[in-house]
């Protein structure tokens, strides 16, 4: 089941994202680190009603942020649709013990359906340029790669921006 996250679940959420960071680093992908994702980011996500979790048997297995706020870093990108009526996906994660079961697909289905049903023009996101698995994941879902942004606290490598027109 996918539902809004609760503030009391932040420790579980941080455990998931930390486990994801360790797995990525073991695979040579230095996308997440001690600065990101942070407890503060998740608290803000919950305050804005933008953080969702996927759970089975009352255990949180993954997260997704569905936001309407455009990060400053995204402004130079030549998007396919006009700014102002779009959703942005952030911090998609599935605990490594539960990866490969389609949970990320379910969360993306949820985000895309939510966006379409609420009249948004598109779904936008970024993914790390060194994370080929994520790039394939989004491209197979029909997302188009549009340009690069940089998050210096995360990496010297760029992040690719993607958009799916609904």
């Amino acid at each position: 089941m996918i539902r809004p996250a609760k503030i009391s679940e932040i420790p579980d959420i941080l455990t998931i994202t930390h486990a994801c960071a360790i797995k990525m680093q073991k695979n040579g992908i230095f996308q997440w680190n001690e600065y990101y994702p942070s407890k503060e980011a998740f608290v803000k996500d919950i305050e804005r009603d933008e953080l969702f979790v996927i759970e089975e048997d009352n255990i949180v297995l993954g997260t997704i942020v569905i936001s309407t706020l455009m990060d400053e870093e995204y402004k130079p990108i030549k998007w396919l649709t006009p700014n102002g009526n779009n959703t942005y996906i952030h911090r998609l994660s599935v605990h490594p013990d539960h990866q490969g079961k389609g949970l990320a697909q379910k969360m993306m289905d949820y985000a895309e359906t939510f966006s379409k049903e609420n009249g948004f023009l598109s779904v936008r996101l970024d993914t790390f340029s060194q994370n080929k698995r994520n790039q394939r994941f989004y491209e197979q879902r029909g997302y188009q790669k549009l340009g690069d942004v940089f998050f210096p606290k995360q990496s010297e490598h760029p992040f690719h921006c993607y958009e799916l027109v609904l």
Side-chain angles (χ1 to χ4, degrees):
M1 173 175 76
I2 298 172
R3 60 163 176 78
K6 301 172 195 161
I7 201 85
S8 61
E9 294 170 323
I10 286 183
D12 297 331
I13 291 166
L14 289 171
T15 297
I16 291 167
T17 58
H18 182 71
C20 289
I22 290 169
K23 182 177 180 183
M24 285 188 284
Q25 289 168 9
K26 283 182 182 172
N27 291 324
I29 301 167
F30 297 92
Q31 179 175 344
W32 287 357
N33 57 34
E34 65 270 21
Y35 305 108
Y36 186 89
S38 69
K39 176 182 178 182
E40 295 75 24
F42 286 124
V43 168
K44 286 181 184 173
D45 296 335
I46 290 173
E47 289 171 351
R48 290 192 299 260
D49 299 319
E50 296 178 343
L51 180 60
F52 297 83
V53 295
I54 190 166
E55 69 174 11
E56 289 179 4
D57 301 322
N58 295 316
I59 298 169
V60 175
L61 304 177
T63 65
I64 189 170
V65 174
I66 307 169
S67 180
T68 57
L69 301 175
M70 184 167 88
D71 290 344
E72 283 293 316
E73 290 86 354
Y74 287 171
K75 289 189 175 173
I77 300 298
K78 301 272 188 258
W79 298 102
L80 301 171
T81 60
N83 293 336
N85 192 23
N86 322 90
T87 56
Y88 298 86
I89 303 302
H90 299 293
R91 295 178 278 292
L92 176 64
S93 68
V94 173
H95 193 285
D97 292 347
H98 298 279
Q99 290 177 4
K101 299 177 181 177
L103 298 177
Q105 295 281 7
K106 287 179 185 175
M107 287 190 286
M108 287 303 297
D109 289 345
Y110 180 88
E112 292 161 10
T113 300
F114 170 89
S115 300
K116 192 174 227 173
E117 288 177 352
N118 286 283
F120 291 97
L121 297 175
S122 71
V123 179
R124 297 173 175 177
L125 54 86
D126 68 75
T127 195
F128 192 44
S129 61
Q130 306 301 296
N131 193 333
K132 303 300 183 198
R133 180 179 176 203
N134 279 9
Q135 291 169 46
R136 281 191 306 276
F137 174 77
Y138 294 120
E139 289 167 7
Q140 288 172 350
R141 294 187 67 85
Y143 284 77
Q144 289 183 258
K145 184 165 57 170
L146 301 173
D148 290 343
V149 294
F150 289 86
F151 297 101
K153 283 188 176 178
Q154 281 181 258
S155 176
E156 63 193 36
H157 298 287
F159 287 72
H160 299 321
C161 290
Y162 286 84
E163 185 171 21
L164 177 70
V165 177
L166 299 172

